[in-house]
């Protein structure tokens, strides 16, 4: 039998304006739940999280909390006004955690809590808020965008901490990798209703597609108006998934081409295409070096960036990502070496400054200066059609910017900037404060962009889905140039460096995010292994595993469909438990089969 819930809401309802934001919601959180809270922008995710935490009152419903349960919430934008130092913030309130616990967490996060709160960066404030929340020893942890403003090292540390955490948590996040690694069940807040499914975020999109497809079939029995509404609700998820698969295949092809040019094995091919590459080059860095004081930021960096390349810059805060970005765009001069930019290069920077959008302006004023037509990189489009491309209802053309949600403002900013004629896009932390819907859109637009893209980001999934080359900085001045995304860079780092015990993270702040201790240059990679020939067993696995994976997927889908019956747990708890166990076992076998097949595929490709 499942453990009794530590927190429940029954028939929860909250009014917003003249209507209900949501109504008749039932929610139960168990003592070890790992829940992803998902919903479209404006659905009320943060509001629901605050209702769970008891920070606001509901208009309807009953909240029950198991006696002794300690609930702690990490807000997306904690309130630091009135606190002298970050430590003052961390130790404030009647429920303040013990000082020694806060100091221990802060030490592991690499944050100096004696820093003045007023001058602290977003990353430093986020780490201070994490130290306060995690040191409180909560039974239920409520996390609203916990990875915002964190670098990769801090995100890895947080994932490790939550993986060992014994309590329950509910998390809102745009970081797909974070959600996929940690969550075991999903709460989907959709059009005022709340659905729960015992799958982690990795299965959410397939579940969403299934629900929308069922609604679309039901809508066929209704009138034309309802059909149109169902279409907008679907957002074309099936068509989008097919398009995305096509884009991913194109991305993999581009990565393979760049890998051939970057690797020693591709030297002969490079000679054959050198003239073509020269004509396509838009940024050429040759033996670039840059120091701040005695500290090397970039050492002997050479790269020829071609038209159409998507370049991702990754590394811990303080490793020099922003410095390298400024070097590549000509904003900063190198100490030695050269950076040559094509004379025809015309760039646009997108940095999510929603504050630049005046709230009193209409959508058409922002996009088309009050008119009906907009020039989109040289092509004339009707503003209502262009709004559809960015997931807006065309009827919002005369809406005031001030009435739009945060996610809608982000999409409006993207629509405006991507309309400008350019052949270079520079995106510095573009995913902060974006919802999943807008992230999907941003990935699509980048994939369809004809020019070159430079991206600084800590969002691993976003990089894996968009970039052709990753520039990895380790803080010592060395820059790894990898054909592929974040996962490819991570694999190379794992191969190069022996496993070491986890150490405290570098301090936040300083150049490009903050000075940390210089990382030692990793040892050279081992010599390439000899090409392996598949054994009989390997060849058999390579041939049969795809069919087995399909069988497991079908089994999981059948069991999840049976588990989706809301009355199953009450009517037949034993079958509910058996199905849950069967799904977990099938998923584990599927993951192992996929991993095995990918290893064999690499051998075959080699």
């Amino acid at each position: 039998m499942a453990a009794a819930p530590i927190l429940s809401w029954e028939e929860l309802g909250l009014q917003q304006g003249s209507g209900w934001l949501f109504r008749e919601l039932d929610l139960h959180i168990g003592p070890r739940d790992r829940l992803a809270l998902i919903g479209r922008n404006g659905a009320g995710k943060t509001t629901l999280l605050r209702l769970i935490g008891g920070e606001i009152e509901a208009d309807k419903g009953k909240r029950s909390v198991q006696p002794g349960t300690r609930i702690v919430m990490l807000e997306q934008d904690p309130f630091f006004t009135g606190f002298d130092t970050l430590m003052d913030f961390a130790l404030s309130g009647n429920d303040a955690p013990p000082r020694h616990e806060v100091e221990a967490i802060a030490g592991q996060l690499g944050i100096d809590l004696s820093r003045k709160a007023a001058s602290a960066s977003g990353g430093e404030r986020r780490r201070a808020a994490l130290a306060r929340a995690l040191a409180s020893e909560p039974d239920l942890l409520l996390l609203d965008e916990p990875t915002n403003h964190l670098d990769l090292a801090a995100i890895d540390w947080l994932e490790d901490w939550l993986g060992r955490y014994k309590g329950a948590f509910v998390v809102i996040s745009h970081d797909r990798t974070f959600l996929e690694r940690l969550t075991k069940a999903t709460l989907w807040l959709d059009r005022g209703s709340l659905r729960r499914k015992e799958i982690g975020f990795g299965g959410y999109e397939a579940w969403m597609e299934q629900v929308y497809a069922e609604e679309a079939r039901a809508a066929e029995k209704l009138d034309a108006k309802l059909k149109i509404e169902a279409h907008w609700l679907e957002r074309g998820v099936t068509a989008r998934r097919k398009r995305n698969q096509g884009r991913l295949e194109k991305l993999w092809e581009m990565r393979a081409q760049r890998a051939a040019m970057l690797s020693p094995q591709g030297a002969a091919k490079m000679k054959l295409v050198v003239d073509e590459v020269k004509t396509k080059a838009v940024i050429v860095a040759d033996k670039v070096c840059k120091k701040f004081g005695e500290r090397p930021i970039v050492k002997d960096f050479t790269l020829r960036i071609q038209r159409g390349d998507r370049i991702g810059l990754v590394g811990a805060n303080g490793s020099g990502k922003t410095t390298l970005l400024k070097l590549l765009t000509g904003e900063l001069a190198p100490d030695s070496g050269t950076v040559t930019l094509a004379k025809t290069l015309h760039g646009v920077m997108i940095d999510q400054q929603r504050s630049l959008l005046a709230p009193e302006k209409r959508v058409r004023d922002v996009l088309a200066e009050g008119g009906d037509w907009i020039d989109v990189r040289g092509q004339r489009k009707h503003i209502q059609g262009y709004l559809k491309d960015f997931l807006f209802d065309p009827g919002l053309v005369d809406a005031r910017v001030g009435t739009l949600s945060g996610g809608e403002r982000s999409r409006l900013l993207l629509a405006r900037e991507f309309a400008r004629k350019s052949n270079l896009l520079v995106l510095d932390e573009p995913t902060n404060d974006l919802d999943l819907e807008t992230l999907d859109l941003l990935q699509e637009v980048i994939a369809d962009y004809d020019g070159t893209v430079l991206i600084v980001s800590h969002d691993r999934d976003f990089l894996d889905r968009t970039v052709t080359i990753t520039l990895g900085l380790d803080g010592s001045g060395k820059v790894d140039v990898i054909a592929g995304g974040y996962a490819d860079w991570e694999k190379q780092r794992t191969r190069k460096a022996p496993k070491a015990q986890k150490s405290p993270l570098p301090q936040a702040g300083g150049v490009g995010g903050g000075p940390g201790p210089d990382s030692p240059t990793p040892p050279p990679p081992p010599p390439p292994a000899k090409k392996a020939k598949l054994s009989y067993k390997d060849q058999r696995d390579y041939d049969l595993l795809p069919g087995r994976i399909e069988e497991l997927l079908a089994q999981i889908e059948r069991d999840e469909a049976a588990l989706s019956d809301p009355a199953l747990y009450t009517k037949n708890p034993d079958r509910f438990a058996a199905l849950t166990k069967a799904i977990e076992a099938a998923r584990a076998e599927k993951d192992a089969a996929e991993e095995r097949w990918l290893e064999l595929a690499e051998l075959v490709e080699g």
Side-chain angles (χ1 to χ4, degrees), residues 308-374:
D309 277 344
R310 282 93 169 93
I311 310 292
L313 288 79
V314 300
N317 283 348
S319 59
K321 301 185 298 298
T322 300
T323 299
L324 180 56
L325 185 69
K326 290 180 178 179
L327 288 167
L328 291 175
T329 56
E331 187 178 340
L332 191 65
D335 296 333
S336 61
T338 60
V339 177
T340 306
L341 278 66
K343 293 181 180 178
T344 57
L345 204 60
H346 178 64
V348 168
M349 178 155 186
I350 300 177
D351 56 5
Q352 299 305 318
Q353 294 184 25
R354 293 197 302 257
S355 58
L356 298 180
L357 300 176
E360 69 278 2
K361 285 190 174 182
R362 298 172 301 169
V363 169
R364 72 163 71 243
D365 297 330
V366 172
L367 293 181
E369 297 182 354
D372 291 325
W373 296 87
I374 179 173

Side-chain angles (χ1 to χ4, degrees), residues 47 67 193 203 306 331 333 349 362 365 387 430 435 444 469 483 555 565 567 570:
T47 301
S193 65
Q306 297 180 214
E331 187 178 340
M349 178 155 186
R362 298 172 301 169
D365 297 330
L387 282 173
D435 53 52
E444 289 186 13
I469 295 177
Q555 177 188 332
D565 179 3
T570 304

Side-chain angles (χ1 to χ4, degrees), residues 73-80 86 89-90 105-106 109 111 113 117 120-134 142-151 154-155 157-158 171-172 174 317 432-433 508:
M73 180 165 180
L74 175 73
E75 296 185 3
Q76 185 172 350
D77 296 304
F79 191 69
F80 283 84
L86 296 177
F89 164 81
I105 297 291
L109 280 168
I111 176 66
L113 294 180
S121 68
E124 289 168 330
R125 291 186 173 199
R126 172 59 58 180
R127 293 183 191 213
L130 273 171
R132 173 187 170 87
L134 304 187
L142 308 176
L143 303 166
D144 194 354
E145 294 290 357
T147 64
N148 268 6
H149 308 294
L150 294 184
D151 63 11
I155 294 171
W157 181 92
L158 180 58
V171 57
I172 301 169
H174 68 269
N317 283 348
N432 274 350
D433 303 318

Side-chain angles (χ1 to χ4, degrees), residues 73-315:
M73 180 165 180
L74 175 73
E75 296 185 3
Q76 185 172 350
D77 296 304
F79 191 69
F80 283 84
T81 303
F83 297 107
D84 182 38
T85 66
L86 296 177
M87 180 62 85
D88 292 336
F89 164 81
L91 298 178
S92 62
N94 297 327
D95 58 346
R99 186 185 184 97
H100 70 277
E101 294 288 350
V102 172
E103 290 174 341
I105 297 291
Q108 294 174 55
L109 280 168
I111 176 66
D112 179 8
L113 294 180
S114 66
R115 185 170 178 83
K116 295 291 185 183
S119 59
S121 68
E124 289 168 330
R125 291 186 173 199
R126 172 59 58 180
R127 293 183 191 213
L130 273 171
R132 173 187 170 87
L134 304 187
S136 299
E137 299 183 352
D139 301 296
L140 173 57
L141 191 55
L142 308 176
L143 303 166
D144 194 354
E145 294 290 357
T147 64
N148 268 6
H149 308 294
L150 294 184
D151 63 11
L152 293 170
I155 294 171
D156 283 340
W157 181 92
L158 180 58
E159 285 180 353
D160 181 67
W161 192 95
L162 288 172
R164 293 180 284 106
Y165 172 56
K166 300 300 184 183
F169 67 75
V170 183
V171 57
I172 301 169
S173 179
H174 68 269
D175 188 327
R176 293 173 183 269
T177 304
F178 183 84
L179 292 174
E180 288 174 357
R181 289 182 176 180
L182 292 172
T183 60
K184 303 297 183 184
T186 301
L187 297 172
W188 181 16
L189 188 59
D190 180 40
R191 291 163 283 163
S193 65
L194 185 68
R195 296 178 175 90
R196 172 168 175 155
K197 198 168 182 67
E198 301 306 310
I199 55 171
F201 179 76
Y204 161 70
E205 288 190 345
W207 175 36
M208 176 188 66
E209 186 172 328
Q210 179 186 0
V211 170
Y212 280 147
E214 290 171 357
E215 290 187 1
R217 286 194 294 270
E220 290 176 2
K221 302 174 183 177
L222 303 177
D223 61 326
K225 179 182 176 182
L226 196 56
K227 285 185 183 180
I228 294 172
E229 291 175 352
H231 171 75
W232 277 103
L233 293 173
E234 282 186 76
R235 296 167 33 235
V237 288
T238 303
R240 170 166 292 168
R241 177 166 291 183
K242 290 178 180 177
R243 291 198 308 272
N244 284 346
Q245 286 302 316
R247 290 189 177 99
L248 283 175
E249 289 173 6
K250 180 182 176 182
L251 179 63
W252 293 330
E253 290 175 5
M254 293 169 68
R255 286 177 177 175
Q257 292 169 1
R258 294 303 267 132
M261 295 177 185
L262 292 170
S263 65
Q265 294 89 342
K269 295 180 184 178
M270 278 290 289
K271 291 179 182 178
L272 298 176
V273 297
V274 66
D275 292 334
E276 179 190 355
V277 171
K278 281 183 178 178
T279 61
K280 293 172 67 176
V282 293
I283 302 173
V284 179
D286 185 27
K287 298 180 180 178
V288 170
C289 296
K290 186 67 180 179
K291 287 185 177 181
F292 285 110
E294 294 300 315
R295 183 189 170 207
I297 304 299
V298 178
K299 293 190 301 188
D300 294 324
F301 173 66
T302 298
L303 179 66
R304 185 183 297 271
I305 299 176
Q306 297 180 214
R307 184 174 68 249
D309 277 344
R310 282 93 169 93
I311 310 292
L313 288 79
V314 300

Side-chain angles (χ1 to χ4, degrees), residues 422-438:
S422 68
N423 49 26
L424 174 67
L425 280 176
V426 182
L427 301 103
D428 194 353
E429 294 294 354
T431 66
N432 274 350
D433 303 318
L434 293 187
D435 53 52
L436 291 169
E437 185 178 36
T438 307

